[in-house]
Amino acid sequence: MDAVMVELLLWAGLIFFLWVLKDTMGKLESDIERSRAGRKSAVARSRPFVRARVESFSEPIGSYGGATIYRYAHIDGKIYRFEHICPWVADLKLLPHQRCIEPGLLYSECGSETVRRS
């Protein structure tokens, strides 16, 4: 009779352990999904690529990621000069005078310097 009680107690403990494990894993999964959704929305909000319309480019100097790199870009009525390639990262902070155009080409505003346009 004692062996039956011990076995029942062990089965009850195993069932309780599995129930707690299932509950904990469910909470962990929903926390991971919430975290992933939060990161995706943060990335979408902080995406550094310029949404402004590029009016024209001049002086091709190379290529990167299937796109031609131009020395100058005319964006929103201002002239920008190619600075460097910037790998896309969620926390990339651009200065007010910079624009990043897909696939990761960083341009800086030229200011008052003379720019040849083609």
Side-chain angles (χ1 to χ4, degrees), residues 14-82:
L14 179 63
I15 290 171
F16 178 74
F17 172 74
L18 291 175
W19 176 73
V20 169
L21 183 64
K22 178 188 138 316
D23 189 49
T24 303
M25 294 303 285
K27 288 179 183 176
L28 181 62
E29 182 180 16
S30 62
D31 287 346
I32 291 170
E33 287 173 359
R34 262 195 313 270
S35 173
R36 185 175 297 148
R39 272 186 274 143
K40 282 183 182 177
S41 65
V43 165
R45 282 192 309 269
S46 67
R47 190 172 170 105
F49 297 119
V50 67
R51 295 282 186 228
R53 192 179 65 128
V54 177
E55 297 161 9
S56 64
F57 291 105
S58 61
E59 296 186 39
I61 57 173
S63 66
Y64 172 74
T68 302
I69 300 172
Y70 293 91
R71 186 174 313 276
Y72 299 105
H74 191 242
I75 303 170
D76 291 335
K78 297 178 182 176
I79 302 295
Y80 291 82
R81 176 188 285 228
F82 175 74

